[in-house]
Amino acid sequence: MKSHQSALTIILLSCVLTTTAFSATASSTEASTNIWRDVPPGPPDAILGIAQAFRECTAENKVNVCVGAYRDEKGQPWVLPSVRSAEEIMLSSENKEYLPIEGDSAFVNKALRFAYGANAPLDRIAGVQTLSGTGACRIGGEFLSQFYSSKNILVPDPTWGNHHKIFKECGLTVGTYRYYDRSTNRLDLQGMLEDLRNAPDGSTILLHACAHNPTGCDPTDEQWDQLLDVIRQKQHLIFFDSAYQGFASGDAEADAKALRRVMDAGYPMLLAQSFAKNFGLYGERCGTLSVVCHDAAQKDILMSQLKCIVRPMYSSPPKHGSSIVRTVLSDEKLTQQYYQECASMADRIQTMRQRLVQALQDAGSSHDWSHISEQIGMFAFTGMSAEMCDTLTDQYNIFLTRDGRISIAGLNDDNLGYVAKAIHSVTDGKSITSN
C-alpha cells in the first residue's frame, strides 16, 4: 500500500514539475515573442536588393548592370593572375596570427605610397588598415566626430549612397553640394563652387579621388584649380574617397593626380582607400584610412587615437587581402604584372563605353550619348529617369539602379546589342536630360 502511495506521489510531483516547466517555457516563448515585437523591418539596401532580384529572376535574357564589380568578356568574375601568384607565394610563408590593431604596417606603407606617391612623407601620415573603403570612411567619420571642430560634412549630389549613412551614424551633420548637372549630363562646376563658398568655414568636403561614383564625371585640371582655391579660402578639410585608383584610366599614377596635387599643396586631408576594385579583392575587405599630419609627433598622437577607435569596433583587420597587396607591391615583377592587368580591365571598360554609344546609334537612337564616352571608371550615368529604369527591369530583365547608373563592366559581346536596343526603346522620343 505504501509503495502505491509513493508511486502516486511521484507521479503527482512529476505532473506538477512538468506543468511548471511548461508554464515557464510558454512564458519564455511569450517573452521572446514580445520583446522584439515593436522592431520594424529595415529597408532593403538599394543596390544589394537589385542584385538579389537579379539572382531570383529566371529569364534567360537577364542582364545585371547594377553590381559594382568587374566582369570579364564572358560576364564572369576575374581573379587577377598577379593575385593568384601572390597567394601561391603566401602559402608557404603566411600564418594566421592576429594583426595589430592598426593592421599590417608593411601593407599600410605600401598602400600609402601607392596613393600618395613613391616619395610620400610617411613620417607624417597616420595610416591604419581598414575593412576596405567602407570601413575607412567609418573610421574617418568617427575620428572627425570626436576630434574635429566642425561636425559638418558635405558629400556630392549624387554620391555613393552609403556615404550618407556612414557619416550620419558617426554623428556628423551630412549635407550635399551640387556636383552633376542632369540638364547637360556634365559636371555642375558653378553650382559646386557656389555651395562650397556657402558652406560654413572649416567644413569637411568629401571628394572622389577619381572615377566619381555614380556619374563617372571628374573635374578637369582647370576645374580642380578653381575648386581647390575655394577650399583654401574657406579653410575646408578635404576627405578623399579613393576606390578606383588604376582602375579608372588604367594608370594608377594618373588616377592619383588630384590627391597628390592636394598633398603637395599642403592642404589638410584624410584619405579612405580601397583595394576592392583595382585589385579585384571585393570579398577580402582591404583598405586604409590615413590622415596627413603636421609632423611625426602629431602622427604618433593621431595613430594612438585611431587605434582607440578601431579596438572596440573590430579589434584588428583581416589579414589575407592585405597580405596579397603587400606581396604584389613588394615584388617588382608582380608589380609590373599587376599594373598591366589593371590596365587591361580599364581598357576593356573604356572600349565597352565606346561600343555602347555606337550600339545605341546603330539601334536608331537620335540622342547625344557622348557623355557616356566622356565619363570614366566602372559606371556610366546615362541620364535615364527612374521610370525608364523600371521599364528596363520589368520588360527587358535588365537590372540597374533607378538613378540611371549602369555598370559598364556588366556589358559584353553577348548582351551589348540587347541592352542598347532596350535602352533605345525606353528613351526613344523622351528626354535623357532634366531641368
PDB file of all heavy atoms in Angstrom, residues 91-123:
ATOM      1  N   LEU A  91      51.382  30.941 -49.473  1.00  0.00           N
ATOM      2  CA  LEU A  91      51.053  29.631 -48.914  1.00  0.00           C
ATOM      3  C   LEU A  91      52.149  29.091 -48.002  1.00  0.00           C
ATOM      4  O   LEU A  91      51.866  28.441 -46.995  1.00  0.00           O
ATOM      5  CB  LEU A  91      50.789  28.627 -50.052  1.00  0.00           C
ATOM      6  CG  LEU A  91      49.392  28.651 -50.668  1.00  0.00           C
ATOM      7  CD1 LEU A  91      49.325  27.705 -51.859  1.00  0.00           C
ATOM      8  CD2 LEU A  91      48.332  28.283 -49.630  1.00  0.00           C
ATOM      9  N   SER A  92      53.364  29.361 -48.370  1.00  0.00           N
ATOM     10  CA  SER A  92      54.478  28.801 -47.597  1.00  0.00           C
ATOM     11  C   SER A  92      55.030  29.759 -46.550  1.00  0.00           C
ATOM     12  O   SER A  92      55.934  29.384 -45.788  1.00  0.00           O
ATOM     13  CB  SER A  92      55.609  28.399 -48.548  1.00  0.00           C
ATOM     14  OG  SER A  92      56.090  29.540 -49.263  1.00  0.00           O
ATOM     15  N   SER A  93      54.499  30.971 -46.483  1.00  0.00           N
ATOM     16  CA  SER A  93      55.113  31.951 -45.582  1.00  0.00           C
ATOM     17  C   SER A  93      54.137  32.635 -44.632  1.00  0.00           C
ATOM     18  O   SER A  93      54.551  33.138 -43.584  1.00  0.00           O
ATOM     19  CB  SER A  93      55.832  33.036 -46.405  1.00  0.00           C
ATOM     20  OG  SER A  93      54.910  33.712 -47.249  1.00  0.00           O
ATOM     21  N   GLU A  94      52.839  32.666 -44.969  1.00  0.00           N
ATOM     22  CA  GLU A  94      51.892  33.414 -44.145  1.00  0.00           C
ATOM     23  C   GLU A  94      51.305  32.539 -43.039  1.00  0.00           C
ATOM     24  O   GLU A  94      50.970  31.371 -43.260  1.00  0.00           O
ATOM     25  CB  GLU A  94      50.747  33.955 -45.017  1.00  0.00           C
ATOM     26  CG  GLU A  94      51.168  35.054 -45.989  1.00  0.00           C
ATOM     27  CD  GLU A  94      51.587  36.328 -45.291  1.00  0.00           C
ATOM     28  OE1 GLU A  94      50.948  36.705 -44.290  1.00  0.00           O
ATOM     29  OE2 GLU A  94      52.554  36.957 -45.752  1.00  0.00           O
ATOM     30  N   ASN A  95      51.184  33.101 -41.853  1.00  0.00           N
ATOM     31  CA  ASN A  95      50.486  32.419 -40.769  1.00  0.00           C
ATOM     32  C   ASN A  95      49.121  33.072 -40.551  1.00  0.00           C
ATOM     33  O   ASN A  95      48.737  33.969 -41.288  1.00  0.00           O
ATOM     34  CB  ASN A  95      51.321  32.442 -39.485  1.00  0.00           C
ATOM     35  CG  ASN A  95      51.652  33.864 -39.058  1.00  0.00           C
ATOM     36  OD1 ASN A  95      50.793  34.740 -39.058  1.00  0.00           O
ATOM     37  ND2 ASN A  95      52.911  34.104 -38.685  1.00  0.00           N
ATOM     38  N   LYS A  96      48.410  32.608 -39.559  1.00  0.00           N
ATOM     39  CA  LYS A  96      47.056  33.096 -39.302  1.00  0.00           C
ATOM     40  C   LYS A  96      46.950  33.839 -37.973  1.00  0.00           C
ATOM     41  O   LYS A  96      45.871  33.913 -37.374  1.00  0.00           O
ATOM     42  CB  LYS A  96      46.070  31.923 -39.331  1.00  0.00           C
ATOM     43  CG  LYS A  96      46.052  31.134 -40.632  1.00  0.00           C
ATOM     44  CD  LYS A  96      45.697  32.013 -41.826  1.00  0.00           C
ATOM     45  CE  LYS A  96      45.705  31.209 -43.118  1.00  0.00           C
ATOM     46  NZ  LYS A  96      45.430  32.065 -44.297  1.00  0.00           N
ATOM     47  N   GLU A  97      48.051  34.434 -37.546  1.00  0.00           N
ATOM     48  CA  GLU A  97      48.056  35.195 -36.306  1.00  0.00           C
ATOM     49  C   GLU A  97      47.256  36.494 -36.459  1.00  0.00           C
ATOM     50  O   GLU A  97      47.047  36.995 -37.558  1.00  0.00           O
ATOM     51  CB  GLU A  97      49.499  35.528 -35.910  1.00  0.00           C
ATOM     52  CG  GLU A  97      50.318  34.325 -35.471  1.00  0.00           C
ATOM     53  CD  GLU A  97      49.792  33.719 -34.191  1.00  0.00           C
ATOM     54  OE1 GLU A  97      49.753  34.423 -33.167  1.00  0.00           O
ATOM     55  OE2 GLU A  97      49.401  32.533 -34.227  1.00  0.00           O
ATOM     56  N   TYR A  98      46.819  37.031 -35.321  1.00  0.00           N
ATOM     57  CA  TYR A  98      46.177  38.336 -35.333  1.00  0.00           C
ATOM     58  C   TYR A  98      47.132  39.394 -35.882  1.00  0.00           C
ATOM     59  O   TYR A  98      48.338  39.368 -35.612  1.00  0.00           O
ATOM     60  CB  TYR A  98      45.804  38.774 -33.909  1.00  0.00           C
ATOM     61  CG  TYR A  98      44.628  38.069 -33.293  1.00  0.00           C
ATOM     62  CD1 TYR A  98      44.784  37.365 -32.108  1.00  0.00           C
ATOM     63  CD2 TYR A  98      43.367  38.136 -33.860  1.00  0.00           C
ATOM     64  CE1 TYR A  98      43.711  36.723 -31.503  1.00  0.00           C
ATOM     65  CE2 TYR A  98      42.286  37.512 -33.270  1.00  0.00           C
ATOM     66  CZ  TYR A  98      42.462  36.802 -32.093  1.00  0.00           C
ATOM     67  OH  TYR A  98      41.403  36.182 -31.504  1.00  0.00           O
ATOM     68  N   LEU A  99      46.590  40.345 -36.609  1.00  0.00           N
ATOM     69  CA  LEU A  99      47.331  41.555 -36.932  1.00  0.00           C
ATOM     70  C   LEU A  99      47.224  42.530 -35.769  1.00  0.00           C
ATOM     71  O   LEU A  99      46.300  42.431 -34.960  1.00  0.00           O
ATOM     72  CB  LEU A  99      46.775  42.207 -38.197  1.00  0.00           C
ATOM     73  CG  LEU A  99      47.074  41.518 -39.525  1.00  0.00           C
ATOM     74  CD1 LEU A  99      46.364  42.254 -40.662  1.00  0.00           C
ATOM     75  CD2 LEU A  99      48.573  41.462 -39.799  1.00  0.00           C
ATOM     76  N   PRO A 100      48.132  43.501 -35.660  1.00  0.00           N
ATOM     77  CA  PRO A 100      47.969  44.560 -34.659  1.00  0.00           C
ATOM     78  C   PRO A 100      46.697  45.371 -34.921  1.00  0.00           C
ATOM     79  O   PRO A 100      46.091  45.268 -35.995  1.00  0.00           O
ATOM     80  CB  PRO A 100      49.218  45.427 -34.852  1.00  0.00           C
ATOM     81  CG  PRO A 100      50.192  44.564 -35.577  1.00  0.00           C
ATOM     82  CD  PRO A 100      49.384  43.640 -36.422  1.00  0.00           C
ATOM     83  N   ILE A 101      46.311  46.164 -33.972  1.00  0.00           N
ATOM     84  CA  ILE A 101      45.107  46.983 -34.119  1.00  0.00           C
ATOM     85  C   ILE A 101      45.158  47.807 -35.398  1.00  0.00           C
ATOM     86  O   ILE A 101      44.172  47.905 -36.136  1.00  0.00           O
ATOM     87  CB  ILE A 101      44.938  47.922 -32.904  1.00  0.00           C
ATOM     88  CG1 ILE A 101      44.756  47.124 -31.625  1.00  0.00           C
ATOM     89  CG2 ILE A 101      43.752  48.864 -33.111  1.00  0.00           C
ATOM     90  CD1 ILE A 101      44.772  47.968 -30.371  1.00  0.00           C
ATOM     91  N   GLU A 102      46.321  48.398 -35.667  1.00  0.00           N
ATOM     92  CA  GLU A 102      46.453  49.276 -36.840  1.00  0.00           C
ATOM     93  C   GLU A 102      46.662  48.504 -38.134  1.00  0.00           C
ATOM     94  O   GLU A 102      46.710  49.098 -39.214  1.00  0.00           O
ATOM     95  CB  GLU A 102      47.600  50.267 -36.632  1.00  0.00           C
ATOM     96  CG  GLU A 102      48.986  49.640 -36.612  1.00  0.00           C
ATOM     97  CD  GLU A 102      49.414  49.138 -35.251  1.00  0.00           C
ATOM     98  OE1 GLU A 102      48.528  48.898 -34.381  1.00  0.00           O
ATOM     99  OE2 GLU A 102      50.634  48.972 -35.048  1.00  0.00           O
ATOM    100  N   GLY A 103      46.787  47.176 -38.053  1.00  0.00           N
ATOM    101  CA  GLY A 103      46.962  46.366 -39.248  1.00  0.00           C
ATOM    102  C   GLY A 103      48.419  46.067 -39.553  1.00  0.00           C
ATOM    103  O   GLY A 103      49.312  46.305 -38.737  1.00  0.00           O
ATOM    104  N   ASP A 104      48.653  45.543 -40.733  1.00  0.00           N
ATOM    105  CA  ASP A 104      49.987  45.186 -41.211  1.00  0.00           C
ATOM    106  C   ASP A 104      50.707  46.463 -41.640  1.00  0.00           C
ATOM    107  O   ASP A 104      50.369  47.065 -42.664  1.00  0.00           O
ATOM    108  CB  ASP A 104      49.838  44.212 -42.383  1.00  0.00           C
ATOM    109  CG  ASP A 104      51.167  43.792 -42.988  1.00  0.00           C
ATOM    110  OD1 ASP A 104      52.211  44.368 -42.628  1.00  0.00           O
ATOM    111  OD2 ASP A 104      51.158  42.903 -43.855  1.00  0.00           O
ATOM    112  N   SER A 105      51.700  46.870 -40.884  1.00  0.00           N
ATOM    113  CA  SER A 105      52.379  48.146 -41.164  1.00  0.00           C
ATOM    114  C   SER A 105      53.077  48.134 -42.517  1.00  0.00           C
ATOM    115  O   SER A 105      53.140  49.164 -43.199  1.00  0.00           O
ATOM    116  CB  SER A 105      53.377  48.476 -40.056  1.00  0.00           C
ATOM    117  OG  SER A 105      54.371  47.460 -39.948  1.00  0.00           O
ATOM    118  N   ALA A 106      53.596  46.966 -42.927  1.00  0.00           N
ATOM    119  CA  ALA A 106      54.248  46.881 -44.236  1.00  0.00           C
ATOM    120  C   ALA A 106      53.230  47.099 -45.351  1.00  0.00           C
ATOM    121  O   ALA A 106      53.510  47.778 -46.346  1.00  0.00           O
ATOM    122  CB  ALA A 106      54.944  45.534 -44.396  1.00  0.00           C
ATOM    123  N   PHE A 107      52.041  46.505 -45.198  1.00  0.00           N
ATOM    124  CA  PHE A 107      50.973  46.749 -46.170  1.00  0.00           C
ATOM    125  C   PHE A 107      50.567  48.217 -46.178  1.00  0.00           C
ATOM    126  O   PHE A 107      50.413  48.826 -47.249  1.00  0.00           O
ATOM    127  CB  PHE A 107      49.751  45.885 -45.844  1.00  0.00           C
ATOM    128  CG  PHE A 107      48.461  46.457 -46.364  1.00  0.00           C
ATOM    129  CD1 PHE A 107      48.160  46.432 -47.728  1.00  0.00           C
ATOM    130  CD2 PHE A 107      47.549  47.060 -45.505  1.00  0.00           C
ATOM    131  CE1 PHE A 107      46.981  46.986 -48.215  1.00  0.00           C
ATOM    132  CE2 PHE A 107      46.364  47.608 -45.981  1.00  0.00           C
ATOM    133  CZ  PHE A 107      46.084  47.581 -47.348  1.00  0.00           C
ATOM    134  N   VAL A 108      50.368  48.784 -44.991  1.00  0.00           N
ATOM    135  CA  VAL A 108      49.932  50.184 -44.916  1.00  0.00           C
ATOM    136  C   VAL A 108      50.933  51.094 -45.618  1.00  0.00           C
ATOM    137  O   VAL A 108      50.560  51.990 -46.390  1.00  0.00           O
ATOM    138  CB  VAL A 108      49.716  50.614 -43.453  1.00  0.00           C
ATOM    139  CG1 VAL A 108      49.451  52.116 -43.371  1.00  0.00           C
ATOM    140  CG2 VAL A 108      48.550  49.848 -42.837  1.00  0.00           C
ATOM    141  N   ASN A 109      52.208  50.874 -45.391  1.00  0.00           N
ATOM    142  CA  ASN A 109      53.231  51.708 -46.037  1.00  0.00           C
ATOM    143  C   ASN A 109      53.184  51.556 -47.554  1.00  0.00           C
ATOM    144  O   ASN A 109      53.294  52.546 -48.294  1.00  0.00           O
ATOM    145  CB  ASN A 109      54.615  51.337 -45.513  1.00  0.00           C
ATOM    146  CG  ASN A 109      54.837  51.815 -44.087  1.00  0.00           C
ATOM    147  OD1 ASN A 109      54.106  52.669 -43.582  1.00  0.00           O
ATOM    148  ND2 ASN A 109      55.833  51.257 -43.419  1.00  0.00           N
ATOM    149  N   LYS A 110      53.038  50.326 -48.046  1.00  0.00           N
ATOM    150  CA  LYS A 110      52.935  50.108 -49.490  1.00  0.00           C
ATOM    151  C   LYS A 110      51.680  50.773 -50.043  1.00  0.00           C
ATOM    152  O   LYS A 110      51.705  51.390 -51.117  1.00  0.00           O
ATOM    153  CB  LYS A 110      52.903  48.610 -49.792  1.00  0.00           C
ATOM    154  CG  LYS A 110      54.224  47.888 -49.578  1.00  0.00           C
ATOM    155  CD  LYS A 110      55.263  48.318 -50.611  1.00  0.00           C
ATOM    156  CE  LYS A 110      56.563  47.546 -50.449  1.00  0.00           C
ATOM    157  NZ  LYS A 110      57.600  48.002 -51.417  1.00  0.00           N
ATOM    158  N   ALA A 111      50.589  50.664 -49.318  1.00  0.00           N
ATOM    159  CA  ALA A 111      49.326  51.240 -49.768  1.00  0.00           C
ATOM    160  C   ALA A 111      49.407  52.767 -49.833  1.00  0.00           C
ATOM    161  O   ALA A 111      48.913  53.389 -50.784  1.00  0.00           O
ATOM    162  CB  ALA A 111      48.201  50.811 -48.832  1.00  0.00           C
ATOM    163  N   LEU A 112      50.020  53.367 -48.830  1.00  0.00           N
ATOM    164  CA  LEU A 112      50.112  54.823 -48.800  1.00  0.00           C
ATOM    165  C   LEU A 112      51.041  55.341 -49.899  1.00  0.00           C
ATOM    166  O   LEU A 112      50.772  56.386 -50.497  1.00  0.00           O
ATOM    167  CB  LEU A 112      50.580  55.306 -47.427  1.00  0.00           C
ATOM    168  CG  LEU A 112      49.643  54.989 -46.250  1.00  0.00           C
ATOM    169  CD1 LEU A 112      50.138  55.650 -44.971  1.00  0.00           C
ATOM    170  CD2 LEU A 112      48.216  55.410 -46.552  1.00  0.00           C
ATOM    171  N   ARG A 113      52.112  54.625 -50.182  1.00  0.00           N
ATOM    172  CA  ARG A 113      52.976  55.032 -51.295  1.00  0.00           C
ATOM    173  C   ARG A 113      52.253  54.856 -52.631  1.00  0.00           C
ATOM    174  O   ARG A 113      52.450  55.645 -53.554  1.00  0.00           O
ATOM    175  CB  ARG A 113      54.277  54.224 -51.274  1.00  0.00           C
ATOM    176  CG  ARG A 113      55.180  54.563 -50.102  1.00  0.00           C
ATOM    177  CD  ARG A 113      56.585  54.030 -50.296  1.00  0.00           C
ATOM    178  NE  ARG A 113      57.397  54.170 -49.098  1.00  0.00           N
ATOM    179  CZ  ARG A 113      57.966  55.311 -48.692  1.00  0.00           C
ATOM    180  NH1 ARG A 113      57.800  56.415 -49.421  1.00  0.00           N
ATOM    181  NH2 ARG A 113      58.694  55.354 -47.590  1.00  0.00           N
ATOM    182  N   PHE A 114      51.443  53.838 -52.734  1.00  0.00           N
ATOM    183  CA  PHE A 114      50.630  53.625 -53.934  1.00  0.00           C
ATOM    184  C   PHE A 114      49.720  54.831 -54.170  1.00  0.00           C
ATOM    185  O   PHE A 114      49.547  55.285 -55.310  1.00  0.00           O
ATOM    186  CB  PHE A 114      49.792  52.360 -53.755  1.00  0.00           C
ATOM    187  CG  PHE A 114      48.951  51.966 -54.943  1.00  0.00           C
ATOM    188  CD1 PHE A 114      49.508  51.340 -56.041  1.00  0.00           C
ATOM    189  CD2 PHE A 114      47.584  52.215 -54.950  1.00  0.00           C
ATOM    190  CE1 PHE A 114      48.735  50.976 -57.132  1.00  0.00           C
ATOM    191  CE2 PHE A 114      46.800  51.860 -56.025  1.00  0.00           C
ATOM    192  CZ  PHE A 114      47.370  51.233 -57.126  1.00  0.00           C
ATOM    193  N   ALA A 115      49.165  55.373 -53.106  1.00  0.00           N
ATOM    194  CA  ALA A 115      48.236  56.502 -53.223  1.00  0.00           C
ATOM    195  C   ALA A 115      48.961  57.842 -53.305  1.00  0.00           C
ATOM    196  O   ALA A 115      48.752  58.619 -54.246  1.00  0.00           O
ATOM    197  CB  ALA A 115      47.275  56.506 -52.036  1.00  0.00           C
ATOM    198  N   TYR A 116      49.831  58.110 -52.328  1.00  0.00           N
ATOM    199  CA  TYR A 116      50.447  59.431 -52.217  1.00  0.00           C
ATOM    200  C   TYR A 116      51.687  59.586 -53.090  1.00  0.00           C
ATOM    201  O   TYR A 116      52.143  60.704 -53.308  1.00  0.00           O
ATOM    202  CB  TYR A 116      50.824  59.714 -50.768  1.00  0.00           C
ATOM    203  CG  TYR A 116      49.655  59.898 -49.832  1.00  0.00           C
ATOM    204  CD1 TYR A 116      49.261  58.874 -48.979  1.00  0.00           C
ATOM    205  CD2 TYR A 116      48.962  61.104 -49.775  1.00  0.00           C
ATOM    206  CE1 TYR A 116      48.198  59.043 -48.086  1.00  0.00           C
ATOM    207  CE2 TYR A 116      47.899  61.279 -48.898  1.00  0.00           C
ATOM    208  CZ  TYR A 116      47.521  60.239 -48.062  1.00  0.00           C
ATOM    209  OH  TYR A 116      46.475  60.411 -47.189  1.00  0.00           O
ATOM    210  N   GLY A 117      52.256  58.485 -53.564  1.00  0.00           N
ATOM    211  CA  GLY A 117      53.443  58.545 -54.401  1.00  0.00           C
ATOM    212  C   GLY A 117      54.645  57.899 -53.735  1.00  0.00           C
ATOM    213  O   GLY A 117      54.687  57.722 -52.507  1.00  0.00           O
ATOM    214  N   ALA A 118      55.635  57.560 -54.551  1.00  0.00           N
ATOM    215  CA  ALA A 118      56.821  56.841 -54.062  1.00  0.00           C
ATOM    216  C   ALA A 118      57.571  57.637 -53.005  1.00  0.00           C
ATOM    217  O   ALA A 118      58.222  57.060 -52.129  1.00  0.00           O
ATOM    218  CB  ALA A 118      57.745  56.506 -55.228  1.00  0.00           C
ATOM    219  N   ASN A 119      57.491  58.954 -53.067  1.00  0.00           N
ATOM    220  CA  ASN A 119      58.215  59.801 -52.111  1.00  0.00           C
ATOM    221  C   ASN A 119      57.305  60.360 -51.021  1.00  0.00           C
ATOM    222  O   ASN A 119      57.600  61.403 -50.427  1.00  0.00           O
ATOM    223  CB  ASN A 119      58.896  60.955 -52.854  1.00  0.00           C
ATOM    224  CG  ASN A 119      59.933  60.457 -53.851  1.00  0.00           C
ATOM    225  OD1 ASN A 119      60.696  59.536 -53.559  1.00  0.00           O
ATOM    226  ND2 ASN A 119      59.960  61.062 -55.038  1.00  0.00           N
ATOM    227  N   ALA A 120      56.207  59.684 -50.765  1.00  0.00           N
ATOM    228  CA  ALA A 120      55.262  60.155 -49.755  1.00  0.00           C
ATOM    229  C   ALA A 120      55.943  60.296 -48.392  1.00  0.00           C
ATOM    230  O   ALA A 120      56.726  59.430 -47.998  1.00  0.00           O
ATOM    231  CB  ALA A 120      54.096  59.176 -49.646  1.00  0.00           C
ATOM    232  N   PRO A 121      55.677  61.376 -47.672  1.00  0.00           N
ATOM    233  CA  PRO A 121      56.296  61.589 -46.349  1.00  0.00           C
ATOM    234  C   PRO A 121      55.605  60.747 -45.277  1.00  0.00           C
ATOM    235  O   PRO A 121      54.815  61.251 -44.473  1.00  0.00           O
ATOM    236  CB  PRO A 121      56.081  63.088 -46.117  1.00  0.00           C
ATOM    237  CG  PRO A 121      54.817  63.398 -46.859  1.00  0.00           C
ATOM    238  CD  PRO A 121      54.804  62.500 -48.063  1.00  0.00           C
ATOM    239  N   LEU A 122      55.902  59.461 -45.268  1.00  0.00           N
ATOM    240  CA  LEU A 122      55.210  58.554 -44.357  1.00  0.00           C
ATOM    241  C   LEU A 122      55.460  58.886 -42.894  1.00  0.00           C
ATOM    242  O   LEU A 122      54.694  58.456 -42.019  1.00  0.00           O
ATOM    243  CB  LEU A 122      55.638  57.108 -44.639  1.00  0.00           C
ATOM    244  CG  LEU A 122      55.311  56.562 -46.043  1.00  0.00           C
ATOM    245  CD1 LEU A 122      55.658  55.080 -46.115  1.00  0.00           C
ATOM    246  CD2 LEU A 122      53.855  56.790 -46.406  1.00  0.00           C
ATOM    247  N   ASP A 123      56.512  59.643 -42.617  1.00  0.00           N
ATOM    248  CA  ASP A 123      56.796  60.004 -41.234  1.00  0.00           C
ATOM    249  C   ASP A 123      55.756  60.954 -40.656  1.00  0.00           C
ATOM    250  O   ASP A 123      55.709  61.158 -39.436  1.00  0.00           O
ATOM    251  CB  ASP A 123      58.187  60.621 -41.117  1.00  0.00           C
ATOM    252  CG  ASP A 123      58.324  61.899 -41.930  1.00  0.00           C
ATOM    253  OD1 ASP A 123      57.695  61.995 -43.005  1.00  0.00           O
ATOM    254  OD2 ASP A 123      59.072  62.796 -41.500  1.00  0.00           O
TER     255      ASP A 123
END
